[in-house]
Amino acid sequence: MDVHGRDLRYFAAVAEELHFTRAAERLYVSQPALSKQIRMLEKQLGAPLFERDRREVRLTAAGTALLPYAQRILAEWEGARDAVATAVADQAATLVVGMSTSPGRGGVLPAIRSRFTAARPDASLRLRHVGWHDPTGGLADGSCDVAFVWLPLPDPDRYRWVVVAEEPRLLALPDDHPLADAEPVDFTDLVDEPFLALPESAGPLRDHWLATDARDGRPARIGAEVAGTEETYEALVAGLGVVLVAAGNAPLVSLGGVVTLTVRGIPPSCFVLAWRADDHRPLIREYVRAAEQATRAR
């Protein structure tokens, strides 16, 4: 005896409504068609499922026994359909990778890509540049699925991450600055210097690149705000201030007229691949796994 999911769905609707007309409306079928389907199910089961008269509809003992099983089967089927839909969507998905700084770092990005595409040749990657105003690299507004970002992140409980690189923070300054030849330089000698700062929307990341925690409570002097590498270079050349940069990013600003120095007295920067803590899609896990493998292989 084969009972179709439709039969159980029709039965459950009548059992929950205890009214054939309301159940038919809920199912978007005619009341005669629903009644016919219920009679066929009763015939298959060899027992009446409902007692009905002009005033009310009641479940029989057989109907009462069947209802929790029917509801459980229907719920399981809905879950199965959702799982299949998720799997199909995931197979054809595009993973959006956010970044505000190029994650070159010894070829780590190509290494992650090659591992990811080997594991998921059906999926595609799209890189998205995100300005320095968003320290989450597009994770906060959902425009990116994963992102290469610097710690600290705002609202850190919302995210998970794996460390891609730890790099010392260097000082970038004009080559005619009085400290340009002071290699290395103590951070205590810099607290009165005007600094280039990230936009205020960068939150704790702005404080990190100003080394606020190494200033003994003295506020940083802000020479200018910068929101990108080109702006940073132009501000340095114009003498608007000095700036801390990760060692891996130093070549982006240490062009003509700018030098970088080692700084003592501040901890290194931490570059990570981050994702939202509540995003458990297989595609995310696969990219994270590729990042972990690529990082260990360096």
Side-chain angles (χ1 to χ4, degrees):
M1 179 184 64
D2 293 324
V3 174
H4 298 290
R6 179 191 59 187
D7 301 326
L8 294 179
R9 191 162 55 250
Y10 283 13
F11 161 71
V14 176
E16 290 161 3
E17 297 289 345
L18 291 178
H19 196 284
F20 274 77
T21 301
R22 286 198 300 267
E25 291 172 351
R26 171 174 151 183
L27 294 165
Y28 299 101
V29 298
S30 69
Q31 191 270 328
L34 175 60
S35 296
K36 179 181 178 182
Q37 216 52 51
I38 294 296
R39 286 195 299 272
M40 290 176 63
L41 178 60
E42 290 174 326
K43 183 177 180 181
Q44 281 184 288
L45 294 173
L49 300 173
F50 298 100
E51 295 175 355
R52 46 207 130 165
D53 56 35
R54 292 183 179 179
R55 293 191 304 276
E56 62 181 345
V57 175
R58 298 179 302 277
L59 281 166
T60 63
T64 300
L66 176 61
L67 181 58
Y69 290 96
Q71 291 171 324
R72 192 154 53 243
I73 291 168
L74 292 171
E76 288 290 332
W77 176 242
E78 287 300 317
R81 289 204 312 178
D82 290 344
V84 170
T86 298
V88 170
D90 191 54
Q91 289 291 321
T94 296
L95 193 73
V96 182
V97 182
M99 59 187 68
S100 56
T101 301
S102 172
R105 269 94 193 149
V108 66
L109 185 60
I112 294 173
R113 177 188 287 272
S114 65
R115 284 171 168 79
F116 177 76
T117 53
R120 294 298 302 268
D122 53 306
S124 60
L125 294 172
R126 181 164 66 85
L127 304 183
R128 180 174 179 268
H129 181 268
V130 181
W132 291 358
H133 64 282
D134 180 2
T136 73
L139 294 178
D141 64 8
S143 59
C144 294
D145 301 308
V146 296
F148 290 97
V149 294
W150 296 96
L151 296 183
L153 280 164
D155 300 321
D157 290 344
R158 292 183 58 194
Y159 307 102
R160 299 290 181 268
W161 57 80
V162 294
V163 176
V164 174
E166 286 191 359
E167 299 175 355
R169 284 180 283 179
L170 306 182
L171 179 72
L173 69 173
D175 59 8
D176 59 358
H177 192 283
L179 293 174
D181 296 322
E183 172 79 36
V185 62
D186 290 316
F187 188 76
T188 53
D189 295 331
L190 302 173
V191 292
D192 293 324
E193 291 287 331
F195 268 69
L196 307 181
L198 298 183
E200 289 189 3
S201 61
L205 195 59
R206 171 182 166 115
D207 290 335
H208 174 74
W209 292 110
L210 292 172
T212 299
D213 56 356
R215 294 178 178 273
D216 293 325
R218 298 170 62 180
R221 290 179 58 201
I222 307 302
E225 286 192 353
V226 290
T229 303
E230 292 182 4
E231 286 184 28
T232 302
Y233 175 72
E234 294 298 331
L236 286 167
V237 172
L240 300 182
V242 300
V243 68
L244 294 174
V245 297
N249 290 341
L252 302 177
V253 297
S254 56
L255 306 174
V258 175
V259 296
T260 56
L261 307 176
T262 302
V263 183
R264 292 184 300 208
I266 57 174
S269 57
C270 194
F271 192 57
V272 304
L273 173 71
W275 64 98
R276 288 178 292 278
D278 60 356
D279 194 340
H280 305 294
R281 287 176 293 162
L283 209 60
I284 301 286
R285 292 199 299 271
E286 201 67 61
Y287 195 83
V288 171
R289 188 177 299 112
E292 292 171 334
Q293 294 171 349
T295 302
R296 285 196 299 267
R298 293 176 64 194

